[in-house]
Every structure is written in structure tokens, then in C-alpha cells.
Amino acid sequence: MANELSKLEKSLQQAKKQFLTTATRATKELDRRRKSLRAEISRANARAKRTRLQLQKKTERLANTTAAKARRELGKQIRKLEKTLDGVKREATQLRKDLAPVMDDLTNARDHLAHALRIDRALRSIQRELSRKPGTKRKASRKKTAKKKVVKKTTTRKKAAKKKATRKKVAKKTAAKKKASKKKAG
């Protein structure tokens, strides 16, 4: 029985170690890929910006040029720049599409890594618990908490004003008392 338990423990340790290394490796690899794709996207955006500026300058120059040969040459350059700009835009769009699944995989890998680390921590605490002597009980440890200062409100409530009895009500009460006492006496 003890032999089987030790085999199970070894296989559990190996599986835990393999899970941790795989999750860590996947997370690092996906993070590296994400960074490279982001760098490519920023390069493509910079290229598109440069091309757009060149296109704008050539267009302005074309508007200012009067010679037919220069106009034809600038027209060719503008068409070439427009094609380049369209190609760069398509490339950046494709890179963004490629980045989306990488980001999803990276999120999943990070979740798996966090899960693996929690499992590792739980297994360590179980291992510590099992390594203790069976007869000894552990005292419950209490966390020291900072005493909160209780601020008492020093505001006093106003006492409800007593209603003054009107003379008519007082007269009726005394008259009713007198009648009751006469009836008792008579």
C-alpha cells in the first residue's frame, strides 16, 4: 500500500511539474509572439504614414508643376505610392487579424498558468499537512488586526417638545374626575 502511495505521489509531482513548465513555456512563447506582431504592426503603420506623407508631397508638387513630362513622372510616382499604401494597409490589417487569436491563446495560457500555480500552492500546503505528526494538533493562528478607532458622535438629540395641554382639555379632565369622585361618594 505504501509503495502504491509513493508511486502515486511521484506521478502527481511529475504531472504538476510538467503542467507548470508547459504553462510557463506556452505563456512566454505567446507573449514573445504577441510582442513581435505588435512591433510588425507599428512598423507597418510607420511605413503607411511615411508613404502617405510622400504621396501628399508628390500631389502638391504635381499641382504646382506645369511641364508635361514632370507631370507624367509625378503621376507614375503617385500611383506607385498609392499601391504601396494600399499594400501596407492590407498588411497591417492582416497582422491585426493574426494578433487576435494570439491574444486569445495568451489569455488562456495565462489563466492556465495561474491555475497551475494555485494547484502547486495547494499541493504544497497539503504536503505540509501530511508531513506533520499525526498526534499533534495545530493551534488556530489568528491574524493580528489593527484596532479600529471608534469615533463617537457627540451630537445630542433634541428632546421632543411636550405638547402643552390646552385649558379646555384640562378643564374637561378635572370635571370628569370630580363627577367620578361624586359617584363613588354617593
Side-chain angles (χ1 to χ4, degrees), residues 3-150:
N3 196 15
E4 290 176 15
L5 286 175
S6 63
K7 285 180 183 178
L8 283 173
E9 187 179 0
K10 284 180 184 177
S11 62
L12 180 68
Q13 293 292 336
Q14 288 173 350
K16 177 192 73 166
K17 187 176 180 181
Q18 185 179 3
F19 187 48
L20 273 171
T21 54
T22 306
T24 307
R25 191 179 328 121
T27 304
K28 285 179 182 176
E29 177 62 30
L30 288 168
D31 200 35
R32 187 187 59 76
R33 189 161 177 222
R34 175 190 60 88
K35 286 177 183 175
S36 67
L37 283 172
R38 289 246 191 241
E40 284 184 47
I41 288 172
S42 63
R43 281 194 296 268
N45 286 340
R47 216 175 317 135
K49 188 177 179 181
R50 276 194 311 270
T51 307
R52 203 176 296 118
L53 288 173
Q54 286 176 350
L55 183 62
Q56 186 180 0
K57 286 178 185 176
K58 300 266 183 186
T59 307
E60 288 172 0
R61 203 177 307 156
L62 178 65
N64 294 335
T65 306
T66 55
K69 185 178 178 184
R71 289 178 70 86
R72 278 195 306 270
E73 187 61 37
L74 285 171
K76 287 179 186 176
Q77 289 176 356
I78 287 173
R79 283 190 293 278
K80 185 178 176 183
L81 285 172
E82 284 174 346
K83 285 181 184 177
T84 306
L85 183 62
D86 291 340
V88 170
K89 283 182 182 178
R90 279 193 303 273
E91 183 184 347
T93 304
Q94 185 60 41
L95 285 171
R96 283 190 197 95
K97 285 180 184 176
D98 291 345
L99 183 62
V102 170
M103 290 302 292
D104 291 340
D105 290 344
L106 180 61
T107 304
N108 290 337
R110 284 181 177 159
D111 290 343
H112 284 296
L113 181 61
H115 183 65
L117 291 173
R118 281 195 294 270
I119 287 174
D120 188 40
R121 240 181 278 132
L123 286 174
R124 267 189 264 141
S125 67
I126 289 171
Q127 185 66 33
R128 265 184 272 148
E129 199 64 37
L130 290 174
S131 66
R132 287 202 186 99
K133 292 181 181 177
T136 59
K137 289 186 179 179
R138 185 177 174 200
K139 291 182 182 178
S141 62
R142 293 185 180 181
K143 292 182 180 178
K144 293 182 180 179
T145 56
K147 293 183 180 180
K148 294 181 181 178
K149 291 184 179 179
V150 178

Side-chain angles (χ1 to χ4, degrees), residues 147-170:
K147 293 183 180 180
K148 294 181 181 178
K149 291 184 179 179
V150 178
V151 179
K152 292 185 180 181
K153 293 184 179 179
T154 56
T155 58
T156 56
R157 291 184 181 176
K158 292 183 179 178
K159 293 184 180 178
K162 292 183 181 178
K163 292 184 180 179
K164 294 183 180 178
T166 58
R167 288 185 182 173
K168 288 182 183 178
K169 287 183 181 177
V170 172

